[in-house]
């Protein structure tokens, strides 16, 4: 009975996981038979990590599902189907003529090969999601699900969420030992939501991030982006 209850609770919890700013897993399940089948199979394969008897005689189980992984994970169950109709787009090119950065800053950023991007969102109430975006204050897209390696997004995630800025820049996060660090101006939802999952940068910082990605293509390929919450 505890196991049956665990499957039900796990399915309910999984349904509330945010895919992007506008979509929960339960929304995707309602729209897609493929995702519904994938999610059902995933829940049935959940791993029991702990079980026991309580003092009142009742039994309990703790069950686990991986969020990321190439095959059996929440991301693998939903993201490929969600992403299939989203065309790939290369990140925007930043030039001396197009940028708002002064010449000295442009030259400095262009001259460095950053190992990753760290977006400091502390104090802004950022929530986690499978498909976050980085935007500038004018709504320009800087980094999103349409720019990245889809397989990496499923296996490892588009961004790494960390609560410690010092750890994020220490070389122990996916941003590496020489990341570009920018401070988010705000966090926001999507077109049809207020879920605070997307990071908003100044136009200047957005140009820096785009220039860093332009100089090191591996930043996008390896999703070398960290959000500090």
């Amino acid at each position: 009975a505890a196991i049956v209850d665990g499957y039900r609770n796990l399915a309910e919890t999984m349904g509330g996981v945010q895919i992007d700013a506008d979509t929960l897993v339960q929304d995707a399940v309602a729209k897609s038979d493929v995702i519904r089948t994938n999610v059902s199979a995933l829940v049935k394969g959940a791993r029991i990590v702990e079980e026991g008897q309580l003092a009142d005689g009742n039994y309990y189980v703790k069950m686990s599902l991986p969020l990321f992984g190439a095959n059996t994970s929440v991301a693998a169950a939903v993201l490929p189907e969600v992403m299939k109709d989203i065309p790939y787009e290369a990140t925007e090119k930043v030039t001396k003529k197009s940028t708002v950065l002064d010449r000295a800053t442009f030259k400095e950023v262009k001259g460095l090969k950053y190992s990753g991007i760290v977006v400091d969102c502390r104090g802004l109430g950022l929530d986690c999601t499978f498909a976050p975006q980085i935007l500038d204050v004018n709504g320009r897209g800087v980094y999103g699900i349409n720019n990245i390696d889809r397989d990496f997004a499923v296996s490892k995630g588009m961004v790494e969420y960390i609560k410690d800025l010092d750890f994020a820049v220490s070389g122990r996060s996916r941003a590496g030992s020489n990341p570009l660090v920018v401070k988010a101006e705000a966090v926001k939802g999507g077109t049809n939501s207020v879920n605070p999952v997307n990071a908003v940068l100044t136009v200047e910082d957005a140009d820096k991030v785009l220039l860093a990605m332009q100089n090191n293509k591996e930043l996008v390929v390896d999703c070398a982006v960290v959000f500090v919450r």
Side-chain angles (χ1 to χ4, degrees):
I3 292 172
V4 171
D5 202 35
Y7 283 131
R8 182 172 61 251
N9 290 339
L10 192 58
E12 289 177 359
T13 300
M14 187 173 165
V17 172
Q18 201 82 38
I19 297 176
D20 58 25
D22 297 314
T23 312
L24 297 173
V25 169
Q26 63 191 18
D27 301 325
V29 165
K31 294 177 181 178
S32 168
D33 290 338
V34 172
I35 293 177
R36 184 184 306 111
T37 300
N38 291 346
V39 168
S40 178
L42 184 63
V43 171
K44 290 177 181 177
R47 185 167 62 96
I48 297 174
V49 296
E50 186 180 332
E51 58 183 284
Q53 188 173 18
L54 300 171
D56 61 4
N58 286 315
Y59 285 85
Y60 74 91
V61 294
K62 290 184 179 180
M63 308 179 81
S64 174
L65 282 176
L67 283 176
F68 298 101
N71 297 310
T72 307
S73 71
V74 180
V78 300
L79 281 186
E81 190 69 14
V82 169
M83 293 187 294
K84 71 177 185 179
D85 295 324
I86 301 175
Y88 174 81
E89 296 178 11
T91 53
E92 181 182 321
K93 298 291 185 182
V94 176
T95 66
K96 288 182 180 179
K97 290 185 177 180
S98 68
T99 187
V100 297
L101 299 173
D102 59 59
R103 287 195 174 188
T105 304
F106 179 87
K107 184 177 180 180
E108 178 186 358
V109 176
K110 188 173 176 58
L112 294 171
K113 190 171 183 179
Y114 291 103
S115 58
I117 307 296
V118 173
V119 183
D120 183 0
C121 303
R122 291 175 299 171
L124 298 175
L126 179 74
D127 285 344
C128 301
T129 180
F130 281 114
Q133 288 182 288
I134 301 176
L135 309 163
D136 74 9
V137 291
N138 295 326
R140 175 178 53 156
V142 177
Y143 176 79
I145 203 166
N146 55 316
N147 309 127
I148 49 88
D149 183 290
R150 307 286 172 91
D151 291 337
F152 196 98
V154 169
S155 62
K156 300 292 184 181
M158 282 184 58
V159 305
E160 181 178 6
Y161 291 97
I162 292 176
K163 292 188 177 181
D164 186 340
L165 180 60
D166 290 336
F167 183 87
V169 302
S170 68
R172 293 175 288 172
S173 76
R174 70 168 63 175
S177 58
N178 182 39
L180 170 66
V181 181
V182 292
K183 175 66 178 175
E185 289 288 295
V187 295
K188 63 170 292 184
T191 305
N192 301 311
S193 75
V194 293
N195 301 309
V197 298
N198 301 322
V200 181
L201 307 180
T202 64
V203 176
E204 291 81 2
D205 280 345
D207 273 7
K208 290 179 184 178
V209 170
L210 288 168
L211 191 55
M213 291 178 173
Q214 184 175 314
N215 290 345
N216 184 3
K217 303 296 185 184
E218 296 303 311
L219 299 191
V220 179
V221 172
D222 295 336
C223 298
V225 178
V226 172
F227 281 4
V228 182
R229 300 175 63 211

